[in-house]
Amino acid sequence: MEEEPLTENCAACLGDHLPAQWGAGFAMAWDGFWSSCCLCLQRIYGCNCRKNRRGKLKGTKGTQCECIWVLLLLLVFFFTLIWMLITLTLGNDMHNFNEEVFRFAGIWLDWSVVFLTVAAVLLTYCGILMLLSFCLVLCGLPIQLHWCHKVLFLLSAIVIILLCVGLSLKWREEWQTAYIYMQATLPFLHIGAVIGVSALAWVLAGYYWRTKTGVLKYLILTVYIILLGALYPLPVYITSPCVLKSSDLPPKPGLIGHRGAPMLAPENTLMSFNKTVASGIKVFETDVAISQDGVPFLMHDSKLLRTTNVREIFQEQSQYNSTNFTWANLQKLDAGSWYLEKDPFKTVSVLTPQDQEEVRRQKIPALQEVLKEAEKNNISIIFDLYVPPEDHPYNDSYIDITLETIFNSSIRPELILWLPDEQREEVIARAPGFRQIFGPLKQENYTLEAVNMPYNLSLEKIRSYRQKNISVNLYVVNEPWLFSYVWCAGATSVTSNACHLLKNIQRPQWVLDPQYYVIIWIVVDAISLAHVIWAFIIQRTCSKRKEYQDAETVLLMKIGNSI
């Protein structure tokens, strides 16, 4: 069964209010303009430009197969939109991803640009196709998707599926980050989703009333009703920590410099430590390894390739574990120039010429040097202590060497935040003044005072620790939205690469009183429901009017033929 687009109706309605000669001219002009627009839409979407016997563009309901393609477009667009949101949340951890890729493939690249570009291209393409299909449905025009678009669309779907599978296999914790982002922005995502689904009612109603028979239209309507029923009460099932009274807002979390200030200086260097101090941060987080001759030094990676020029100085040993080098050989390496070359945080441009010259002078620092600076500046230090390989001469005594280095320094015991789990009982006995910080493992059988946990720790767990008066430090928090989330959640402190930026945040990005939120929630849902009902009523009225005009046209044609 064919349908005519509403071209003549629109022109006739407007022409009724104009002089006769103007009305006829306007109707012809509008008819030509509308036909051109429809022709353009059809060419972009399906390259289908057929006209009927009267020269008008042919309108069809479209086969069920083509309607299914429209539904698939909507579904893939939805998942592409979700992937875009996930890509935006990856920004907090993208530096870690860049590091992992470098360790695996030896290639340094800012992969956030790649992810964002792919997500933006896929979202734009699927979005344009979806909007075109909706316009065609509303206009009663063919919805026959061109085979070229079908191929590209299926490729887009395959790319999204592969990206999601890859994320699940290699970076599964990022799904938790996406859930946290949803919690952090719940009121805004909920309102946006309600608006989007409500707007969809116009397309759905147009399709429903114009389609006379078929199971598909009832199935689509049922799914749509279920979707609305699940969307309206969504805030009941997912809560946001920032929905709270301003008087209940916890204190601002303290800041711990992750490897110092890696956005302002090469990580785990004395310059990075000094930038941390200059930013007003009171805790320095680092990583400690033991050299071949028993000197504790600062290094995060197991190999020296990423943060030194070991390929130039020790080409044959460049793949060795960093603990296989003596302290004398470690001191021959440049630990700063890589920072200017790779520009890991895109912040080199803000460095002064003096800063850049200082970067080039950086060496791998010994733990003893950092302890001396920490004591002088009254800075606490917390560190991961890496276990040397089994064939390392200090594999069994690395804890003792680290403790002796601390004891031989002048640092006050309370400035040491002891994180390693290995031989903790011995450490407590030998250094009772150290503050014991517990990670995710081995918390049993201890009286906890402070924990160091990943930022994707559940909201319930954070609040459970805080109710027991246990300090909670979360790592690694770089983005303002995530900092706002953990602030509202009640975290005591965060480890961050961006301490110099987060320190300037005086309040969470948003805090909403629960009573106001309930009012907004109910009003938005009520308006949405009224809008959906209104869309179905209007489309039903237009459909009835169209049927009446079509019947009248057919009758006039029969009368004309009989004459």
Side-chain angles (χ1 to χ4, degrees), residues 80-245:
T80 308
L81 183 62
I82 291 178
W83 178 254
M84 172 60 82
L85 292 176
I86 292 174
T87 303
L88 295 176
T89 65
L90 293 178
N92 186 78
D93 302 322
M94 190 51 65
H95 182 71
N96 293 341
F97 182 83
N98 295 341
E99 290 180 2
E100 288 297 327
V101 172
F102 181 86
R103 283 190 280 269
F104 177 77
I107 300 173
W108 182 266
L109 181 66
D110 184 5
W111 290 96
S112 63
V113 177
V114 177
F115 282 124
L116 282 173
T117 301
V118 171
V121 170
L122 293 178
L123 182 64
T124 302
Y125 177 69
C126 294
I128 290 175
L129 283 184
M130 185 189 68
L131 290 176
L132 286 173
S133 66
F134 287 173
C135 290
L136 292 173
V137 170
L138 285 172
C139 296
L141 295 172
I143 49 174
Q144 297 171 358
L145 187 63
H146 194 267
W147 67 266
C148 182
H149 284 314
K150 290 180 180 179
V151 171
L152 292 176
F153 163 69
L154 288 176
L155 288 176
S156 301
I158 291 172
V159 170
I160 293 297
I161 292 172
L162 291 177
L163 289 172
C164 292
V165 170
L167 190 68
S168 299
L169 294 176
K170 297 297 184 181
W171 211 2
R172 183 173 299 177
E173 59 270 20
E174 287 305 313
W175 289 112
Q176 295 175 286
T177 305
Y179 179 75
I180 289 174
Y181 183 80
M182 186 167 63
Q183 282 186 303
T185 58
L186 176 63
F188 311 103
L189 290 179
H190 179 244
I191 292 173
V194 169
I195 292 174
V197 174
S198 300
L200 190 61
W202 289 94
V203 179
L204 177 59
Y207 171 78
Y208 180 83
W209 293 123
R210 290 178 185 176
T211 304
K212 302 303 179 184
T213 59
V215 178
L216 184 61
K217 77 169 192 174
Y218 297 107
L219 179 61
I220 293 175
L221 181 62
T222 302
V223 172
Y224 184 74
I225 293 173
I226 293 174
L227 179 61
L228 285 177
L231 185 60
Y232 285 161
L234 183 63
V236 173
Y237 309 107
I238 303 176
T239 59
S240 176
C242 291
V243 178
L244 78 169
K245 295 181 179 180

Side-chain angles (χ1 to χ4, degrees), residues 201-440:
W202 289 94
V203 179
L204 177 59
Y207 171 78
Y208 180 83
W209 293 123
R210 290 178 185 176
T211 304
K212 302 303 179 184
T213 59
V215 178
L216 184 61
K217 77 169 192 174
Y218 297 107
L219 179 61
I220 293 175
L221 181 62
T222 302
V223 172
Y224 184 74
I225 293 173
I226 293 174
L227 179 61
L228 285 177
L231 185 60
Y232 285 161
L234 183 63
V236 173
Y237 309 107
I238 303 176
T239 59
S240 176
C242 291
V243 178
L244 78 169
K245 295 181 179 180
S246 297
S247 58
D248 296 333
L249 181 66
K252 180 180 177 178
L255 297 173
I256 298 176
H258 183 236
R259 309 177 201 171
M263 288 187 175
L264 303 176
E267 65 181 56
N268 285 336
T269 61
L270 286 178
M271 182 180 179
S272 188
F273 176 89
N274 292 329
K275 289 291 185 180
T276 303
V277 175
S279 298
I281 309 304
K282 294 299 183 182
V283 185
F284 175 75
E285 186 275 343
T286 188
D287 312 276
V288 176
I290 308 296
S291 71
Q292 191 71 16
D293 50 351
V295 177
F297 64 96
L298 272 56
M299 181 58 58
H300 176 267
D301 295 3
S302 60
K303 296 180 181 180
L304 301 167
L305 292 167
R306 183 174 63 88
T307 57
T308 72
N309 62 338
V310 66
R311 276 200 181 97
E312 300 174 11
I313 307 301
F314 302 105
Q315 185 174 4
E316 295 182 358
Q317 295 83 31
S318 62
Q319 295 293 334
Y320 285 8
N321 190 291
S322 63
T323 59
N324 289 340
F325 290 83
T326 64
W327 176 241
N329 284 338
L330 290 171
Q331 284 296 280
K332 296 177 182 179
L333 300 175
D334 175 0
S337 295
W338 71 273
Y339 182 80
L340 300 177
E341 295 169 1
K342 294 184 174 69
D343 195 6
F345 295 97
K346 306 302 178 188
T347 53
V348 168
S349 60
V350 305
L351 299 181
T352 64
Q354 294 78 9
D355 283 338
Q356 295 187 25
E357 186 60 34
E358 185 179 356
V359 166
R360 296 186 181 93
R361 295 195 300 266
Q362 293 307 298
K363 299 291 184 180
I364 297 174
L367 175 61
Q368 186 176 13
E369 297 176 75
V370 176
L371 293 173
K372 179 180 178 181
E373 292 297 319
E375 168 63 22
K376 183 171 68 176
N377 293 281
N378 194 33
I379 299 296
S380 297
I381 182 169
I382 180 173
F383 55 86
D384 288 309
L385 182 57
Y386 293 133
V387 181
E390 292 184 0
D391 58 350
H392 194 278
Y394 298 97
N395 174 263
D396 296 328
S397 57
Y398 69 98
I399 294 285
D400 295 331
I401 290 175
T402 304
L403 288 175
E404 289 300 323
T405 301
I406 296 174
F407 293 153
N408 292 335
S409 70
S410 58
I411 192 169
R412 301 192 307 278
E414 62 269 20
L415 294 179
I416 300 295
L417 311 182
W418 187 266
L419 183 59
D421 289 321
E422 294 77 16
Q423 304 179 32
R424 189 180 289 272
E425 294 83 356
E426 179 184 344
V427 173
I428 292 175
R430 293 181 61 183
F434 290 0
R435 295 169 58 191
Q436 297 295 321
I437 312 297
F438 293 83

